[in-house]
Amino acid sequence: MSNCAECGHVLRLSTGPGRTRAYRGMQGLAIPDSLEYEECDHCGARWMTDQQMDIMGDALEAQRQERLQLNKLILAKRYSYAKAVQTKQSAVASGVFSDNGRARCRSANAETRDVCV
């Protein structure tokens, strides 16, 4: 075992599930369970080789992209629902629909019968 360059305490080998870290503004992304690296119990510094950093970076970026896609789907559904509500409110305000969601019938002109719009 080696000593931490940050605080001088002993480094331990870190591996297994339950490890997370922030990456590019996203919190709680999982570090791959199989990735081993040295970590300081005292200050929390992580010490990795370039290869280990590449493995972790690829895994974190994949999770980030997954979350971004999920967020896009959620926002698209919220937007389409909000747009539907806005459209209905506009229709109610213009007199096309009543408040109960049924179409209102209006006379097209005095000579014709009622037409439902």
Side-chain angles (χ1 to χ4, degrees), residues 12-19 21 30-39 46-60 63:
R12 68 169 173 81
L13 193 60
S14 178
T15 187
R19 299 174 299 162
R21 72 166 291 169
I31 297 171
D33 296 347
S34 60
L35 181 65
E36 293 183 348
Y37 56 85
E38 292 182 320
E39 184 173 19
R46 296 178 178 132
W47 300 95
M48 296 180 219
T49 64
D50 289 341
Q51 183 182 10
Q52 290 168 322
M53 289 178 68
D54 288 342
I55 291 168
M56 185 164 61
D58 292 344
L60 295 176
Q63 290 176 64

Side-chain angles (χ1 to χ4, degrees), residues 3 9-10 24 26 28 39 45 48 51 54 65 77 84 89 92 104 110-111 113 116-117:
N3 289 343
H9 285 78
V10 176
R24 294 184 68 185
M26 289 191 179
E39 184 173 19
M48 296 180 219
Q51 183 182 10
D54 288 342
Q65 290 299 323
K77 284 184 179 184
Q89 288 171 344
V92 168
R104 286 190 177 156
E111 298 168 1
R113 58 191 169 110
C116 289
V117 184

